[in-house]
């Protein structure tokens, strides 16, 4: 199934957010990348692919862990940041611009392929799963992370709640072509592309509350992926940020706890 055009499927959207993503969102996703890396047991020098690497959270952890790792992303700005960060850990070419739905790697090139909060947002997510299956060697491991909440994680959840309060008559459509936000749905997608589901880890981590200013500066980062955001004017966007900030002030200091499902599956040997 293919979804209509969405901001999340436009490399320019991610280019425009890359610096902010590296400074803010990546601090949250990194917590889950660390959990995913700890859950796998890969030997030194394992060939690892990170699909939709963003600012390279998982890529950097893999390089630090001794893997022969490469990250791909369709946003040149994200790739630039991922490359810079990974090369600071170990010099080399670690990141490339590429569409995750059509990987430019031969079959059976990798021992493990990750996609942390990546393939689930592709217009054709099953193409992303299938490409991961194709480039894995027989016996290789696929690791795919998605949010349990269809609206995302951390501040995105607050913005969703703010939208419900401010615009009670407006629907908040999901930009996703298909949802994978349960262990059963993840396993089903793995099976569709010929991978054998192994386990789905449920990982919960906190996003600490930020000052009001944070919500003004990062509204597009936290909610720009939503089709609703596109339809708001500047005044509405400002009111929206204030509402999200007001909600945040009522949270306990540890903030919002968000759950990711990290699914693991093997390519049949
Ligand atoms: C939510 S971010 C996740 C980034 C990173 N994996 C992390 O955990 O922080 C989603 C990333 O997917 C990338 N992306 C979206 N669609 C893509 C596609 N079709 N091919 C490659 N990358 C894509 C975006 O550029 C963005 O960097």
């Amino acid at each position: 199934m293919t979804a209509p055009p969405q901001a999340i499927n436009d490399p320019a959207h991610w280019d425009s957010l890359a610096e902010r993503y590296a400074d803010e969102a990546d601090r949250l996703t990194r917590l889950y990348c660390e959990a995913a890396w700890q859950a796998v047991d890969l030997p030194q020098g394992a060939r690892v692919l990170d699909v939709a690497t963003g600012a390279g959270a998982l890529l950097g952890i893999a390089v630090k862990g001794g893997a022969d790792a490469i990250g791909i992303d369709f946003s040149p700005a994200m790739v630039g940041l991922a490359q810079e960060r990974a090369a600071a850990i170990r010099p080399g070419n670690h990141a490339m611009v590429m569409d995750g739905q059509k990987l430019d790697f031969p079959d059976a090139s990798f021992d493990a392929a990750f996609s942390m909060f990546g393939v689930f947002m592709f217009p054709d997510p099953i193409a992303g799963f299938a490409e991961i299956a194709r480039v894995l060697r027989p016996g290789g491991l696929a690791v795919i992370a998605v949010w349990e909440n269809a609206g995302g994680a951390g501040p995105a959840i607050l913005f969703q709640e703010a939208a419900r309060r401010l615009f009670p008559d407006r629907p908040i459509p999901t930009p996703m072509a298909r949802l994978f936000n349960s262990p059963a749905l993840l396993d089903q997608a793995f099976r569709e592309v010929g991978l054998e589901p192994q386990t789905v880890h449920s990982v919960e981590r906190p996003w600490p509350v930020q000052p009001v200013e944070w919500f003004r500066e990062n509204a597009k980062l936290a909610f720009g992926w939503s089709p609703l955001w596109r339809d708001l004017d500047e005044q509405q966007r400002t009111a929206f940020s204030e509402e999200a900030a007001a909600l945040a002030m009522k949270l306990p200091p540890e903030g919002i706890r968000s759950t990711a499902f990290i699914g693991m599956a093997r390519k049949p040997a």
Side-chain angles (χ1 to χ4, degrees), residues 53-214:
T53 191
L58 188 281
L59 176 67
I61 292 166
V63 170
K64 200 179 275 176
D68 176 9
I70 187 143
I72 70 98
D73 199 287
F74 74 172
S75 154
M78 288 287 199
V79 166
L81 289 167
Q83 168 61 24
E84 198 178 297
R85 288 171 152 192
I89 298 165
R90 182 164 11 105
N93 291 329
H94 296 293
M96 297 166 74
V97 176
M98 204 179 287
D99 184 348
Q101 298 163 117
K102 203 171 184 311
L103 295 175
D104 194 11
F105 297 111
D107 296 357
S109 315
F110 294 97
D111 299 305
F114 291 71
S115 187
M116 305 298 295
F117 316 110
V119 291
F120 79 134
M121 61 172 61
F122 292 178
D124 186 353
I126 290 300
F129 277 82
E131 279 294 84
I132 282 177
R134 180 182 68 75
V135 301
L136 281 174
R137 67 160 169 80
L141 185 67
V143 182
I144 305 235
V146 301
W147 299 118
E148 178 183 38
N149 188 317
I157 294 173
L158 277 186
F159 274 95
Q160 292 246 105
E161 181 54 24
R164 276 188 212 102
R165 286 167 182 243
L166 275 185
F167 316 112
D169 301 330
R170 286 172 110 149
I172 311 174
T174 175
M176 308 302 173
R178 177 171 156 181
L179 293 177
F180 302 94
N181 59 337
S182 75
L185 290 173
L186 261 181
D187 283 353
Q188 186 187 327
F190 285 136
R191 281 196 198 92
E192 280 176 42
V193 299
L195 294 171
E196 291 169 351
Q198 303 287 299
T199 179
V200 177
H201 297 272
S202 172
V203 178
E204 192 187 291
R205 294 285 183 272
W207 178 79
V209 171
Q210 307 291 324
V212 174
E213 211 40 55
W214 192 96

Side-chain angles (χ1 to χ4, degrees), residues 209-264:
V209 171
Q210 307 291 324
V212 174
E213 211 40 55
W214 192 96
F215 291 86
R216 295 194 187 111
E217 287 166 6
N218 294 289
K220 185 179 169 194
L221 177 68
F223 202 69
W225 54 271
S226 169
L228 178 63
W229 175 258
R230 200 179 42 198
D231 299 336
L232 301 180
D233 62 29
E234 276 314 309
Q235 213 178 353
Q236 286 171 318
R237 288 181 179 181
T238 304
F240 191 28
S241 304
E242 300 294 333
E243 184 72 20
L247 285 171
M249 295 311 121
K250 293 183 196 142
L251 290 170
E254 69 272 21
I256 298 181
R257 298 190 72 82
S258 306
T259 298
F261 292 126
I262 303 179
M264 305 200 173

